Every structure is written in structure tokens, then in C-alpha cells.
Amino acid sequence: MERPIEAFHAKRRQAVRKALEGNHFAVYEAPDSSAAAAMVLTEIIPETGAKSFSFGGSGTVAALGLVAALRANPDYRVLDTTDKSLSREAMYELRRQALLVDCFLTGTNAVTESGQLVNLDMIGNRVGAMHFGPKQVIVLAGRNKIVPGVEEAMRRIKAYTAPVNAMRLDKKTPCVKTSFCQDCNSPDRICNVWTVTEKSFPAGRVKIVLIDQDLGI
């Protein structure tokens, strides 16, 4: 077989897409980050009719340049909950307002082969918006986020995703020093809210873009 790696990812992605669609998610596929960004901006968002947007903390969303692209459109209202110039109180208020936008864009910590989304949050605003509030949700997922099941997803998140995110965010947690989860009680702990999204409700509200590229953490 020629290009076995590409064939492996294609077959796996097709199986995951089928499982996600069986769980009432709307699923799209893109070959890389550039194609995914174009698909979101020119196809998915226009289909939703959304005019207001916000985002969950996501390396994948950042890699696609979607925040800047949406902010550049004068017809759109964008709530930037990553603005570090805001006070803590103003940031929390903006994150509450983000629960009422037309469209919320985010990544996901993991996608299982049986079509579930698994996530771990510090505050819960990201997973809260994924499940209730915004009229539409767009989830961007690189192929590295696909795992066999929920247990493997949780193991990956605690062993890898959370420590790396704590480092990225300059948190004062033990895992930043050791790279291993210590199940700490630190005030900066980011591992506070687990969610497993079994299905999209209503059907099609959550739209997942599977990207044939390693993206995010």
C-alpha cells in the first residue's frame, strides 16, 4: 500500500465521523488548518447566519487564525475572552456574556472513536458554552485528539494535555515543575470540570471539523 500513514488516518477519520454523526453531531472534514479555517469562515458560519461570536481557550482555534479573521469583519461582533488587559472581574463578566453569542468556537481535549467529546476545564466557561447557551458551536479537532475511548481520553488529558496547558498559561502548579499530574490543591489548578459530551442536542447544534493534521495540545 502506498502512503500507509495517510490511509490509516483517512480510515480512522471516516470511522470517527460515522460515530459522531450517529450521535447527532454535524461533521466536516478538512485536509489541513488552512482548509479548515476557510471552511469555517466561508461555509459553516454563513450557513448558521451567526453575527456574534466568542471562543474557548484553544490552541487549535489560535492556529487557524479565526479570532483575527472574525474581528476583521465589520458585520460581526466578537467577544474576546482572551484579552489580558481586562481585569479579572471584567474577564469573568465577558465570559458570562459569551454564553449568549450566536456561535461559540473551541477545540476539544479529545474525541473518542465512539463519537464522544471529552474535556477538562479550569473554570467551566468553555464546556458550559459547548453544552448550553450559544445557538451554534463549532469544534475544531486535529487528528491527534482522536483516542479509543473515554478512559484513554481522560488518561491523555491528565498525563499530557493538562500539564502542557498549565505550562502554556504559566500556572503555579506542581505539574509545571515535574510534567506529571500531582492531583494538586493549588489555587492555580486547571483540572476542575470534567465533561463527556455523548450527543449533540439539539441535533446539529454542535459542528465538528475533523482536521487531518496534528493541532493543539
Side-chain angles (χ1 to χ4, degrees):
M1 176 184 291
E2 295 184 1
R3 305 181 69 185
I5 295 175
E6 289 81 358
F8 169 85
H9 286 295
K11 289 180 181 295
R12 197 179 194 201
R13 193 169 60 253
Q14 289 167 8
V16 170
R17 176 173 188 161
K18 183 177 180 180
L20 288 166
E21 290 176 337
N23 287 336
H24 310 309
F25 296 98
V27 185
Y28 303 77
E29 294 184 54
D32 54 39
S33 58
S34 296
M39 180 182 292
V40 169
L41 294 169
T42 65
E43 179 181 343
I44 301 175
I45 286 177
E47 286 177 356
T48 69
K51 296 298 182 183
S52 60
F53 303 86
S54 193
F55 308 86
S58 166
T60 303
V61 171
L64 269 60
L66 292 171
V67 178
L70 290 172
R71 292 182 70 175
N73 189 322
D75 295 328
Y76 292 159
R77 174 172 173 257
V78 177
L79 277 64
D80 185 358
T81 59
T82 64
D83 185 351
K84 294 184 179 180
S85 68
L86 296 174
S87 68
R88 182 182 179 90
E89 293 74 17
M91 180 64 73
Y92 271 59
E93 178 58 31
L94 195 62
R95 288 175 175 173
R96 281 190 285 268
Q97 293 176 22
L99 297 174
L100 298 177
V101 296
D102 294 335
C103 184
F104 188 84
L105 294 90
T106 186
T108 183
N109 294 144
V111 182
T112 72
E113 291 175 356
S114 54
Q116 302 154 314
L117 305 181
V118 184
N119 286 282
L120 179 60
D121 258 20
M122 181 179 186
I123 300 172
N125 62 297
R126 178 179 65 114
V127 295
M130 288 174 72
H131 298 129
F132 184 75
K135 297 175 183 177
Q136 306 286 334
V137 176
I138 300 174
V139 176
L140 293 307
R143 65 189 186 186
N144 52 309
K145 300 299 183 70
I146 298 174
V147 297
V150 173
E151 289 186 6
E152 291 85 356
M154 296 178 80
R155 188 178 303 116
R156 179 185 186 276
I157 292 166
K158 290 287 281 192
Y160 174 71
T161 306
V164 174
N165 272 325
M167 294 174 184
R168 176 177 65 86
L169 297 169
D170 295 321
K171 296 298 183 180
K172 295 179 175 62
T173 55
C175 65
V176 169
K177 296 180 179 180
T178 68
S179 80
F180 294 97
C181 175
Q182 310 292 311
D183 195 19
C184 70
N185 288 315
S186 168
D188 265 4
R189 176 184 169 116
I190 66 172
C191 302
N192 297 319
V193 184
W194 280 107
T195 63
V196 178
T197 311
E198 296 273 355
K199 297 182 186 294
S200 171
F201 183 84
R205 173 182 173 267
V206 180
K207 308 170 196 316
I208 301 175
V209 183
L210 298 175
I211 307 167
D212 190 21
Q213 184 178 337
D214 290 349
L215 290 167
I217 297 169

